[in-house]
Amino acid sequence: MSAAACIFCKIIKGDIPSFKLFESPHLLAFLDIQPLSRGHALVIPKHHGAKLTDIPDEQLREILPVAKRLALATGAENYNILQNNGRIAHQLVDHVHFHMIPKPNETEGLGIGWPMQETDMEKLKALFEEVKPKM
């Protein structure tokens, strides 16, 4: 998707209105219009990129501090910070975005399953040896 067709790029440019909570030269934070709970907000880099790996590091530096400020500003005691990459990982808008989703109770906010797998230590060690040198 081109930046010209991107709904978040249009929000950044002001072509689509939003409830802006914070803005800097590198990012924008605004309320989600389809919230999972009261205070659900998005933090997006102004640099257009579909996945986290498409965004330059300097465009990401403020993201978590602003998400933290959102959690404090909304008074969320329990909350999720969520960022998805790709359709099968549940990304719906092809512009990197971080959700700050307050979890006030068991029914509101993000519901998530965590299908843990049995650990095969040999496979885990092989993965470690593959990934560690690339870091």
Side-chain angles (χ1 to χ4, degrees):
M1 170 190 304
S2 72
C6 173
I7 189 168
F8 287 169
C9 289
K10 290 177 181 179
I11 290 171
I12 290 165
K13 288 175 24 184
D15 295 343
I16 295 175
S18 68
F19 292 98
K20 291 182 186 180
L21 296 169
F22 180 84
E23 186 170 12
S24 78
H26 296 295
L27 68 77
L28 178 65
F30 55 96
L31 291 174
D32 193 307
I33 62 167
Q34 295 179 311
L36 298 182
S37 60
R38 183 181 182 277
H40 180 170
L42 299 173
V43 183
I44 63 172
K46 289 185 175 180
H47 180 95
H48 178 80
K51 295 183 178 179
L52 187 61
T53 51
D54 298 331
I55 308 297
D57 289 350
E58 64 273 5
Q59 300 289 320
L60 296 170
R61 288 195 175 100
E62 294 177 281
I63 299 278
L64 288 179
V66 169
K68 176 183 172 182
R69 288 174 63 186
L70 286 170
L72 291 168
T74 61
E77 182 177 329
N78 302 292
Y79 53 91
N80 296 92
I81 304 296
L82 176 68
Q83 198 274 317
N84 302 323
N85 294 277
R87 288 289 178 268
I88 65 170
H90 308 287
Q91 183 180 14
L92 298 179
V93 178
D94 290 330
H95 185 118
V96 169
H97 55 288
F98 292 74
H99 295 261
M100 193 292 294
I101 308 167
K103 183 73 174 158
N105 55 53
E106 289 295 326
T107 58
E108 294 177 79
L110 183 65
I112 189 168
W114 201 271
M116 292 184 284
Q117 301 175 10
E118 289 294 318
T119 301
D120 179 326
M121 293 307 283
E122 289 302 313
K123 287 182 180 179
L124 193 59
K125 182 181 178 190
L127 177 61
F128 170 77
E129 289 171 355
E130 175 188 336
V131 174
K132 177 68 175 166
K134 296 175 184 175
M135 292 300 294

